[in-house]
Amino acid sequence: MSVVGDVRRSTGTSYWLREALAADPGEACPPLRGETTADVVVLGGGYCGLWTAWFLTERAPGIDVVVLERDVCGSGASGRNGGFVGAWWDEIDGLAARYGDDAALAACRAGDESIWAIEDWCQRQGVDAWYRPADYLEVASSEAQEGAWGGAVEACRRLGEPERYRDISAEEVQRVCRTPALRAGAVMRGATVQPARLARGLRRVLLERGVRIHEGTSASRMGRGSLVEVETKDGLVRAGRAVIATNAWAARWPGLRRSLVVRGSYIVLTAPAPERIEELGWTGGEPICDVRTALHYFRTTPDGRIAFGGVGRALGSRIGPGYDHDEVSLRWVAEGFRRIFPSFDDVPIEEGWGGPVDVSATHHPWFGTLPGGAAHYGVGFTGHGVSQAHLGGRILSALALDREDEVTELPFVNRRPRRFPPSLLTGVGGAVIQRAILRKDRLEDAGRRPGWLTRFVASLPRRLGYALGPSR
Ligand SMILES: Cc1cc2nc3c(=O)[nH]c(=O)nc-3n(C[C@H](O)[C@H](O)[C@H](O)COP(=O)(O)OP(=O)(O)OC[C@H]3O[C@@H](n4cnc5c(N)ncnc54)[C@H](O)[C@@H]3O)c2cc1C
């Protein structure tokens, strides 16, 4: 059976966004026409921009906030992602090595708070984002991946938080999801959401709070003087502060260009097959990912589908239609799905879509202020923004209000992001490294050991001090 022959061509949106819009289209948010003023103008109507607007209205009631969104709120990664709501405990060893134990613990605890704060927020605001708390598993799907989680598990033990991220045996993994490719791993607490419902729920609540949202409104230029001036095709906003929350689109924004590289992440979605999910015993809603370098992530939906995601090929920093739907990338992801879930062999893949990911050199986001002091940014979520963008909203609202608190003390706030060298990790250099990573992953999936050249090229980013690519 063809792995992607049956994937319906995406119409540029995801299944999630279509489902969310069908459930509640929301009131219209017409494009900006003419000039206006605001206390804060937010660029980008994804989680980061919308949570920023939320926290601004929480912290400064009556504040005048305008959100400009190129397309519709949730049309970017926030309405396309896997819906994994996770913490940072699985990265605590890297954070501790880079910033020290205390800063790493503070970051992980703040990330954890966001998981539960999103649940609380959905309940209080009446947003049905299918929020479902569950164990979040990271497991080996080949022998070569075994033990990749050991450093973080050990760091959690050493730092007195052994339950936050702990080993789980192959037998325990099989009790969660009985499919033969899955081996031992590690587990932390997390949740899943219907991602677009969360984004659209934020939009609804913000409109009720009086935030002005203009969809179909792309910010084309920003002038920074005593006031920020954001130009759009048919309008202009003058504001005291601006917040740039445009995810991978920021990779072309002056001042942020070399802080990010853009990658696509792609998801295939099966037809409903609840009886097959039952056979797997996968009924607890657990989000699961493997620990390949180009990782796979998979979850179920309430109607018994599997949404299975993975990393796509390098398409460059100009975000075009390939980031919505790329046949090559979707084929890779579908192959991964068929390998890991052989019992779904005759269940059709109904849909496939993708979205852009803003990869930072450190594998975590950065929050700061551009020269001049009036424009703040939150970028570099590196495919983990569902909970982190909530934390990002807390941080960016504090920056825009000139407030300091425990989250502005975190180690990735108000420091210059680590930058990528122009030639090595982007362009041809980036493509060569990505090919080596892909080859390494594929050989290891097949139980073979890659040659030294493949291993060497794949490990170049790590050797150069970037938190990307295989760590061993
Ligand atoms: C396929 C896929 C799967 C993923 N899976 C997960 C997951 O399971 N768990 C997880 O934690 N993370 C995941 N992520 C990452 C997560 O979705 C993002 O980190 C998160 O949504 C980032 O939110 P954001 O607001 O920064 O970006 P976005 O949601 O992309 O929002 C940015 C918005 O800015 C708008 N914009 C761009 N340029 C302009 C402009 N000039 N003017 C105005 N607006 C503009 C865009 O249209 C977009 O709506 C995944 C990402 C993808 C693509």
Side-chain angles (χ1 to χ4, degrees), residues 154-189:
E154 177 47 36
C156 283
R157 267 193 221 124
R158 181 175 65 77
L159 295 172
E161 296 277 12
E163 289 305 312
R164 299 294 194 167
Y165 188 60
R166 59 176 175 80
D167 289 312
I168 116 169
S169 68
E171 293 70 37
E172 288 173 284
V173 171
Q174 289 293 316
R175 277 202 287 280
V176 172
C177 180
R178 220 168 16 251
T179 194
L182 303 186
R183 300 161 173 247
V187 62
M188 56 188 169
R189 283 300 285 170

Side-chain angles (χ1 to χ4, degrees), residues 42-50 68-86 136 217-220 245-250 253 263-267 297 310 323 353-358 378-379 381-389:
V42 175
L43 279 55
Y47 300 141
C48 186
L50 298 174
L68 305 180
E69 164 52 47
R70 184 189 59 92
D71 187 337
V72 298
C73 293
S75 60
S78 300
R80 296 170 176 271
N81 63 71
F84 283 43
V85 191
Y136 184 132
T217 304
S218 190
S220 48
T246 54
N247 183 21
W249 287 265
W253 198 267
R263 287 282 176 272
S265 195
Y266 295 82
I267 293 181
Y297 48 95
Y323 282 103
W353 68 88
V357 167
D358 51 347
V379 291
F381 294 99
T382 318
H384 291 82
V386 178
S387 56
Q388 292 176 10

